[in-house]
Amino acid sequence: MIDKIAWLHLVDGRILSTRSRGKQAYYLPGGKREPGETDEQTLVREIREEVTVAIAEPTIRPAGAFEAQADGKAAGVVVRMTCFTAEYTGTLAASSEIEEIAWLGYADRDRVSAVDKLIFDHLHQAGLLK
């Protein structure tokens, strides 16, 4: 099991996504926790590292957990994505590990990882992702 944290940031029916250097698929911003970190601490650190903004910690809200086959891993290796929403300060920008930031809609579902597809489906059914 790969345990990850993700930030769901939607604007006008599109969701913020990132593409790492050398990768084709887009992923929701976030990542793995370091030893001793809470979900919230992981979210704050990963978002600062990936898209250079500061998450406003008092605004962090749980947004669901999703599990699917991990991209690029052996069959049966599952990723669990625990998602949060939150407000932020700063200007979104790709960090050194991120090649591109993109605003994706539901029509872009085929461009994201398996677990992100589940999240896209959930957000689309809730009327949040157009």
Side-chain angles (χ1 to χ4, degrees), residues 26-114:
Y26 287 84
Y27 298 88
L28 297 174
K32 298 177 193 169
R33 80 177 44 79
E34 292 181 353
E37 277 186 331
T38 65
D39 288 354
E40 293 80 5
Q41 290 168 331
T42 302
L43 182 71
V44 168
R45 178 184 51 76
E46 284 286 345
I47 298 312
R48 183 180 59 248
E49 289 175 1
E50 292 188 358
V51 294
T52 72
V53 297
I55 292 292
E57 292 185 50
T59 70
I60 296 173
R61 300 287 180 268
F66 304 84
E67 293 182 7
Q69 169 66 39
D71 281 2
K73 302 292 183 186
V77 176
V78 173
V79 62
R80 177 181 174 84
M81 190 81 74
T82 303
C83 300
F84 295 89
T85 60
E87 295 174 18
Y88 71 95
T89 58
T91 302
L92 293 166
S95 73
S96 58
E97 68 185 69
I98 302 299
E99 187 163 337
E100 179 185 4
I101 291 175
W103 291 95
L104 303 182
Y106 192 69
D108 299 303
R109 184 182 180 275
D110 62 337
R111 301 169 68 191
V112 302
S113 70

Side-chain angles (χ1 to χ4, degrees), residues 10-14 103 128 130:
L10 291 115
V11 175
D12 297 329
R14 296 196 172 279
W103 291 95
L128 299 173
K130 308 288 185 207

Side-chain angles (χ1 to χ4, degrees), residues 5 15 29 93 96:
I5 302 297
I15 192 162
S96 58

